Amino acid sequence: MSLKLRDLIRKVRACKTAAEERAVIAKESAMIRTAIREEQTHFRHRNVAKLLFMHMLGYPTHFGQLECMKLIASPHFPEKRIGYLGMMLLLSEEADVLMLSTNALKNDLTSSNRFVSGLALCAIGNLATADMSRDLAPEVDKHLKSAEPYLRKKACLAMARCLTKCPEMVEDFVDRIITLLKDRSHGVLITVVQLMTQVLIVEQKNKELAALGGGEDYGTPCQEAFVKLVPSLVKLMRNVIGGGYTASDAGGATDIFLQVHILTLLRLLGTDNEKASEEMNDVLAQVATNTETSKNSGNAILYECVQTIMAVESDDGLRVLAVNILGRFLLNRDNNIRYVALNTLSKCLVDEKNASKDDLVQVAVEDGANSAAAALQKHRATIVDCLKDPDVSIRQRALELIYHLVNSENVESLTAELLNYLVLCPRDHRADICSRVLRVVEKYSPNDRWRVDTLITMLTIAGRESARAVQSASIIYISRSSEDLRAYATHKLLKAIRDDDGTQTGLLVVGIWCIGEYGDLLLKPYSYTPSTSNDMAQLTGAVGDGSSSVSFSANDPSSILETLEKVIGRHTCTVDVKQHALTAFTKLCERFANSGDTVTLNRLQTLVKQNAKSHVLELQLRSCEYDALINAMRGLKASNSSEVSIFDVNGGDSLSEGVISAAKEALVRMPMVDLRVMNKQKSSGYVGDDDMIGGLDNKPNPSTKKNDDLLNLEDIFSSGATSQTTNHESSQVDKPTTENPAPKSASDLDLLSEIFSAPPTMSAAPGASSDMNGAGAYDPFGSLPNSNNQQSNIINPNPLDAFAPISASPYPSAPVTNNTVGDIFGGSQIASPSLPNITVQGPSHQGLTIEFECSKPEPGNKAKSMLVAKFKNMNNDPIYGLSLQVAVPKYVTMEMKPPSSTTVAPATGGVSIVTQNITVVNSKLGQKNLMLKLKIGFSLNGTKVDHMATVSGFPAGEY
């Protein structure tokens, strides 16, 4: 015979181990199965009670589900009560046996005993499926009209379950729900408010599904009907606050649960409804000001009131009141209250920002003394203090809120707090914090120096966890800054690397890149007067007050190299850092070339060669390439005479001046990209119309209507460059050119060439163009470009070697008639011009002169012309980073090839002419003359120079 429930509980509590407990439960489960099999009806209710106890302990009890169904059908109330309790606990709505209870539930709903009907209503409210809801909804509706408040309140909860499972029945019961709202029973009121809330939630879900095409649209009849009840709900709320209902009084607040449910219902009704929101504003203000906050029950009402105020269309004063309530929550000792306050404040700020975006009116959320964001700024100190809370969840919520609080006025102080928290936060949170700090710095940075200071400090703290995007952004900001700020950043990064233990990978990557790129600035002392605030002074290394001068002493090349060697010498050094260090060593060979420290220069090349046999393929390949590049810069060939230098294009004993110049140019500083030009190109887009050049806008500018033949490109060329017009009415005609300048080695392409590239039918992008000799894509170590109507034969001494040198043999131009198709592996033949070449003088600026040698490559096509731009450097110093952009009128199509070199040597150094071929076709020859609008860019003595000019002195009727 099985045990009584009381005896089973005692035996389980007496067990000292889990094994003993399992043994007791297993033995009793076996006895219960035996009783079920033997149909011991007089012990059925006791067995189900024991199964409920086992279920609470976590043991399987599925074998007793049918016993619950049998107890429900019993005529005795005690057995029926145990049966319903077992069904609600041991069964779920997915259980197959649940369908057997439908008839029993219908019978119990019609029982004269209100307690039996109450048990059935409770079961429907917990377990009813969609089919059960359709079958039992009429019986539940009858109890909504019952004279017993006990049954009416249970029927409301059961109906909420039915309408959730069958949304299509919602409209049928709207009138019944409205009638129940006038009930005087506390229990009925609280349940009917819950029913209305559930109906609105179901209706909102149906509307969202219908909008997504995944459900049937039932409309919003409940929303429209319930909105009319807002005055009644407001009146009910005032009666509750005034003590009209005293059924529940705890902690100085009257009827807490009813107040909370009414506020929730008002929130659903007032969302996106100005009229309903206006009707409830007064009662919300009354609840917010009169609720006692000394007890937790009052705080619960205030929290729900704040959520309602933020959700409805309330006025600004009410929102400020809500923010101040949440600010008082932050001073509470209870972490739960502080957590919900921080979470709600974050949600409020995000919703307010999204609302301003949806209205297409970009209004700063901090503007206006009566806005919620402005009120929240008053509690900024309290929010920042939450970062010091020992509870990690409080710290995370405070961190999220601080991100939303940052604006242009408090960015320095709040960023300092974020960096302080970055020191203490868990490592798995640091990557996200670094990304967020980067976004804050990008958006609200007061000046470039503060931005660089903050990024370097962040990398010093969490460089190991920072993402690659953060490191790249730091490099970009430093490279875009002024020369003075570059020197400051490089000095500071060098000091940070020396103080680091080698674990901050991000700091090492950024620092080594800057040392390699701007290493020559480290050889000079640097000092400045910081303008950072006191908050950032402690983090950025500033000493004393904001006016104290910070200085860095000059560094020797050997000490800089020693620092880098120490970094790569650690066994924890990553491959990424070694790759950046290898590139830095190569760059420093050029940066320290004028230092006179031969030992350091030799040591740099030795460090480059060390990776020639590295097991990392990338390091091995770059080591060999960089070593050849350094040798070429010094005018040397490969150290081993048996090796063939990749720069040996002539096969002689020394390298040409063009090769040496190209090698030096490859190691100079990276030119700074003008972001305004890039943004302009992205915003304009590529259209591919004949009236467009390079994707520029083809709409005429009214201010330039009088000169509509030439496209107005002032918006692109207005980057601070000077403008001049070169207009030669009478062009200077020279004798036909019989001698072409020596070709130069191809060097790195202009970074802006792709941005200013024209459509393929008009002007091919430099990066996409290839020489007529079949050399293919541009290769800085490949063949020399062919220019000025000359042929080139490609000679590869070893066809099987992909890295063998390619030699170019220039031939003087001669009249050749191209009557046959050329060999696809040979050079293309070009017919010599029949008309004499003429020279048109171009602009001259800061020692750089340009002239155009004009010719007709096809005698039968007079509209087509070949313009060879010749660049001459009249300075004593070389010009680097030469770039030429050309705009032509709409009636002219143009094809432009890369220059023979982007470095123009001084005219005193021998051959110093750089050429660039431009092919133009004037479709209105004889009616309109050829005009060119130029933008020339280059670097002279480390200074970026931009110049604009217009050339229109071409002979009329010929070009």
Side-chain angles (χ1 to χ4, degrees):
M1 185 174 124
S2 62
L3 298 174
K4 294 181 179 181
L5 177 60
R6 185 178 304 172
D7 296 335
L8 177 61
I9 295 174
R10 287 175 179 172
K11 289 190 69 173
V12 170
R13 290 181 176 177
C15 295
K16 296 182 179 179
T17 62
E20 293 180 9
E21 179 183 303
R22 287 194 296 269
V24 171
I25 296 297
K27 182 178 179 181
E28 190 61 28
S29 297
M31 297 181 69
I32 293 174
R33 287 192 182 94
T34 303
I36 293 173
R37 187 167 53 251
E38 295 177 355
E39 293 290 338
Q40 297 178 6
T41 58
H42 53 289
F43 292 132
R44 182 173 289 159
H45 66 285
R46 187 167 69 182
N47 291 336
V48 173
K50 288 188 290 186
L51 288 176
L52 292 176
F53 176 69
M54 295 178 188
H55 176 75
M56 289 189 295
L57 295 178
Y59 293 96
T61 57
H62 58 279
F63 54 87
Q65 292 177 351
L66 281 176
E67 293 297 293
C68 298
M69 299 293 103
K70 295 176 182 179
L71 288 176
I72 290 174
S74 173
H76 305 291
F77 179 75
E79 293 182 355
K80 198 179 283 286
R81 182 176 60 180
I82 292 294
Y84 274 114
L85 182 60
M87 184 178 73
M88 287 185 284
L89 291 180
L90 303 184
L91 276 73
S92 64
E93 60 178 303
E94 291 83 10
D96 295 334
V97 298
L98 191 60
M99 60 181 296
L100 302 176
S101 64
T102 304
N103 191 49
L105 287 170
K106 185 174 292 188
N107 293 332
D108 290 339
L109 286 174
T110 59
S111 174
S112 58
N113 189 338
R114 64 172 184 170
F115 298 108
V116 173
S117 298
L119 289 175
L121 290 171
C122 288
I124 293 173
N126 284 277
L127 291 175
T129 62
D131 294 333
M132 293 173 61
S133 299
R134 294 188 188 96
D135 296 338
L136 301 175
E139 282 73 19
V140 176
D141 182 43
K142 293 178 183 179
H143 287 290
L144 289 176
K145 297 178 289 185
S146 173
E148 294 284 344
Y150 175 80
L151 292 178
R152 290 201 303 270
K153 67 180 181 181
K154 290 183 179 294
C156 287
L157 298 178
M159 184 57 70
R161 173 80 178 192
C162 294
L163 296 182
T164 301
K165 294 298 179 180
C166 300
E168 66 273 9
M169 300 190 305
V170 168
E171 191 173 357
D172 300 333
F173 296 95
V174 172
D175 296 336
R176 183 76 61 210
I177 296 171
I178 294 175
T179 304
L180 288 171
L181 192 60
K182 301 176 182 179
D183 202 298
R184 299 297 298 174
S185 173
H186 161 80
V188 175
L189 280 175
I190 196 171
T191 52
V192 74
V193 171
Q194 286 181 280
L195 175 58
M196 294 173 67
T197 303
Q198 189 64 34
V199 166
L200 290 175
I201 293 174
V202 170
E203 197 173 56
Q204 184 177 2
K205 289 182 179 179
N206 292 336
K207 184 178 179 181
E208 293 175 355
L209 290 176
L212 297 175
E216 185 177 354
D217 189 4
Y218 300 108
T220 57
C222 297
Q223 179 80 22
E224 297 171 359
F226 291 169
V227 165
K228 301 176 182 178
L229 301 177
V230 170
S232 300
L233 292 171
V234 170
K235 183 179 179 180
L236 177 61
M237 190 68 184
R238 285 201 174 99
N239 292 336
V240 174
I241 298 174
Y245 294 85
T246 58
S248 177
D249 190 356
T254 304
D255 215 336
I256 302 167
F257 292 101
L258 182 57
Q259 289 192 52
V260 169
H261 286 303
I262 293 176
L263 289 170
T264 304
L265 181 58
L266 290 176
R267 180 167 71 250
L268 295 175
L269 295 175
T271 303
D272 299 329
N273 193 322
E274 294 184 3
K275 182 178 179 181
S277 301
E278 186 177 356
E279 292 175 346
M280 64 181 73
N281 277 342
D282 292 340
V283 72
L284 291 176
Q286 186 178 354
V287 173
T289 54
N290 296 339
T291 304
E292 181 64 36
T293 60
S294 59
K295 300 290 184 178
N296 197 35
S297 57
N299 292 329
I301 297 174
L302 283 177
Y303 172 67
E304 199 66 34
C305 181
V306 167
Q307 283 195 313
T308 303
I309 291 173
M310 292 300 182
V312 302
E313 304 295 328
S314 56
D315 54 13
D316 291 339
L318 204 56
R319 289 178 175 270
V320 171
L321 178 61
V323 170
N324 291 334
I325 292 173
L326 294 176
R328 292 201 303 269
F329 281 2
L330 294 177
L331 301 175
N332 199 299
R333 295 182 180 179
D334 189 352
N335 279 352
N336 294 323
I337 296 178
R338 298 169 68 193
Y339 180 88
V340 297
L342 292 170
N343 210 21
T344 306
L345 288 171
S346 298
K347 183 177 180 298
C348 293
L349 282 180
V350 172
D351 292 343
E352 192 167 350
K353 291 180 180 179
N354 293 337
S356 64
K357 293 179 181 179
D358 293 339
D359 294 338
L360 300 178
V361 180
Q362 296 296 330
V363 181
V365 295
E366 61 269 10
D367 291 342
N370 293 328
S371 65
L376 186 55
Q377 294 290 344
K378 301 177 182 178
H379 305 281
R380 190 174 63 202
T382 307
I383 297 171
V384 171
D385 289 340
C386 292
L387 290 176
K388 305 171 186 177
D389 194 276
D391 191 341
V392 63
S393 61
I394 298 294
R395 296 200 303 268
Q396 285 299 106
R397 296 281 75 78
L399 190 64
E400 292 285 341
L401 183 55
I402 287 177
Y403 292 142
H404 300 302
L405 282 177
V406 177
N407 54 35
S408 56
E409 297 177 357
N410 58 25
V411 60
E412 297 188 37
S413 59
L414 288 184
T415 305
E417 295 295 340
L418 292 176
L419 294 179
N420 283 330
Y421 177 68
L422 191 60
V423 180
L424 306 175
C425 72
R427 287 187 174 178
D428 53 345
H429 296 165
R430 288 186 174 182
D432 179 62
I433 296 176
C434 289
S435 300
R436 291 176 179 268
V437 170
L438 175 63
R439 290 197 292 269
V440 168
V441 168
E442 287 177 342
K443 189 173 183 180
Y444 299 109
S445 176
N447 54 69
D448 291 341
R449 186 178 296 276
W450 181 87
R451 180 191 291 118
V452 171
D453 258 336
T454 303
L455 292 176
I456 294 177
T457 304
M458 181 180 66
L459 293 174
T460 305
I461 299 172
R464 173 170 44 190
E465 294 81 13
S466 62
R468 177 61 65 91
V470 176
Q471 303 170 19
S472 301
S474 303
I475 292 175
I476 290 173
Y477 282 126
I478 294 175
S479 63
R480 287 174 50 195
S481 59
S482 62
E483 191 78 4
D484 179 75
L485 193 53
R486 290 175 183 175
Y488 167 73
T490 308
H491 275 283
K492 188 167 185 177
L493 285 169
L494 178 63
K495 181 179 182 299
I497 290 176
R498 287 172 175 172
D499 297 338
D500 184 58
D501 57 355
T503 59
Q504 305 296 347
T505 308
L507 174 67
L508 297 178
V509 168
V510 177
I512 291 175
W513 187 91
C514 290
I515 291 173
E517 190 71 16
Y518 311 113
D520 53 330
L521 302 179
L522 295 173
L523 305 180
K524 307 173 185 177
Y526 179 82
S527 62
Y528 84 106
T529 301
S531 58
T532 55
S533 63
N534 293 332
D535 294 326
M536 288 297 297
Q538 300 176 357
L539 294 171
T540 58
V543 182
D545 57 9
S547 60
S548 61
S549 177
V550 175
S551 61
F552 297 99
S553 59
N555 295 273
D556 296 328
S558 57
S559 63
I560 300 173
L561 182 58
E562 182 181 353
T563 301
L564 297 182
E565 284 189 88
K566 184 179 178 181
V567 170
I568 64 173
R570 297 189 178 100
H571 68 280
T572 57
C573 184
T574 62
V575 176
D576 191 24
V577 175
K578 291 181 179 180
Q579 291 174 352
H580 282 80
L582 179 61
T583 305
F585 292 149
T586 308
K587 292 180 179 179
L588 289 177
C589 290
E590 194 274 338
R591 306 298 186 270
F592 295 162
N594 298 327
S595 64
D597 194 342
T598 309
V599 177
T600 301
L601 294 176
N602 294 335
R603 179 58 181 163
L604 284 170
Q605 189 166 9
T606 302
L607 291 172
V608 172
K609 293 180 180 179
Q610 281 182 356
N611 293 288
K613 298 181 180 180
S614 173
H615 66 282
V616 180
L617 181 60
E618 183 70 17
L619 287 174
Q620 183 185 131
L621 179 63
R622 295 294 171 246
S623 176
C624 297
E625 292 177 348
Y626 289 161
D627 181 43
L629 194 62
I630 295 173
N631 287 330
M633 181 188 69
R634 297 178 179 179
L636 303 176
K637 291 188 177 182
S639 57
N640 190 351
S641 59
S642 62
E643 299 177 0
V644 180
S645 173
I646 63 176
F647 295 101
D648 190 8
V649 296
N650 297 322
D653 295 335
S654 61
L655 298 177
S656 65
E657 291 292 333
V659 172
I660 298 175
S661 176
K664 290 181 179 179
E665 182 182 350
L667 297 178
V668 298
R669 287 187 188 174
M670 180 183 69
M672 185 175 65
V673 178
D674 191 349
L675 293 184
R676 291 177 297 178
V677 175
M678 297 179 66
N679 294 333
K680 175 64 179 178
Q681 184 73 7
K682 290 180 180 179
S683 61
S684 62
Y686 172 68
V687 178
D689 190 86
D690 289 338
D691 294 336
M692 303 271 293
I693 294 182
L696 301 177
D697 192 0
N698 62 345
K699 295 181 180 180
N701 191 340
S703 62
T704 59
K705 188 68 177 178
K706 60 184 180 180
N707 190 15
D708 57 354
D709 290 337
L710 190 63
L711 292 181
N712 182 19
L713 300 182
E714 292 294 336
D715 53 346
I716 294 180
F717 292 154
S718 59
S719 57
T722 59
S723 176
Q724 94 177 26
T725 301
T726 304
N727 188 0
H728 298 276
E729 297 298 336
S730 60
S731 60
Q732 178 183 359
V733 181
D734 294 345
K735 60 183 179 179
T737 304
T738 59
E739 192 170 344
N740 294 324
K744 297 287 184 179
S745 298
S747 182
D748 57 328
L749 292 174
D750 179 30
L751 293 177
L752 294 180
S753 59
E754 183 179 357
I755 299 174
F756 286 90
S757 62
T761 59
M762 301 175 64
S763 175
S769 64
S770 60
D771 198 79
M772 297 297 292
N773 56 17
Y778 174 76
D779 183 6
F781 302 110
S783 62
L784 302 177
N786 189 10
S787 61
N788 299 339
N789 303 326
Q790 64 182 12
Q791 296 177 339
S792 299
N793 293 334
I794 306 303
I795 303 174
N796 191 343
N798 187 2
L800 299 180
D801 186 5
F803 297 95
I806 299 176
S807 302
S809 300
Y811 292 89
S813 61
V816 179
T817 303
N818 189 7
N819 296 324
T820 60
V821 179
D823 184 10
I824 60 175
F825 296 101
S828 61
Q829 298 175 345
I830 304 175
S832 62
S834 59
L835 298 177
N837 296 350
I838 62 172
T839 301
V840 176
Q841 191 65 34
S844 178
H845 184 70
Q846 293 196 10
L848 178 67
T849 61
I850 306 175
E851 62 181 17
F852 293 91
E853 183 180 289
C854 309
S855 61
K856 297 291 183 179
E858 300 178 7
N861 187 2
K862 296 184 179 181
K864 184 176 183 179
S865 305
M866 172 67 72
L867 309 181
V868 179
K870 296 184 178 181
F871 303 88
K872 295 182 181 180
N873 182 10
M874 309 307 296
N875 300 295
N876 295 326
D877 299 316
I879 290 176
Y880 297 103
L882 174 66
S883 66
L884 174 65
Q885 286 92 40
V886 181
V888 294
K890 300 178 182 179
Y891 55 84
V892 177
T893 58
M894 176 181 65
E895 181 180 358
M896 191 173 179
K897 291 189 176 182
S900 59
S901 175
T902 56
T903 300
V904 186
T908 57
V911 179
S912 60
I913 298 179
V914 174
T915 61
Q916 185 168 5
N917 292 350
I918 305 172
T919 303
V920 295
V921 177
N922 187 353
S923 60
K924 295 185 178 181
L925 184 65
Q927 302 177 9
K928 294 185 178 182
N929 295 336
L930 175 64
M931 290 184 292
L932 305 178
K933 190 164 188 177
L934 313 179
K935 181 181 179 182
I936 307 103
F938 57 89
S939 296
L940 179 62
N941 296 325
T943 303
K944 180 66 176 178
V945 180
D946 289 321
H947 179 64
M948 290 185 302
T950 300
V951 180
S952 59
F954 299 95
E958 297 182 11
Y959 292 91

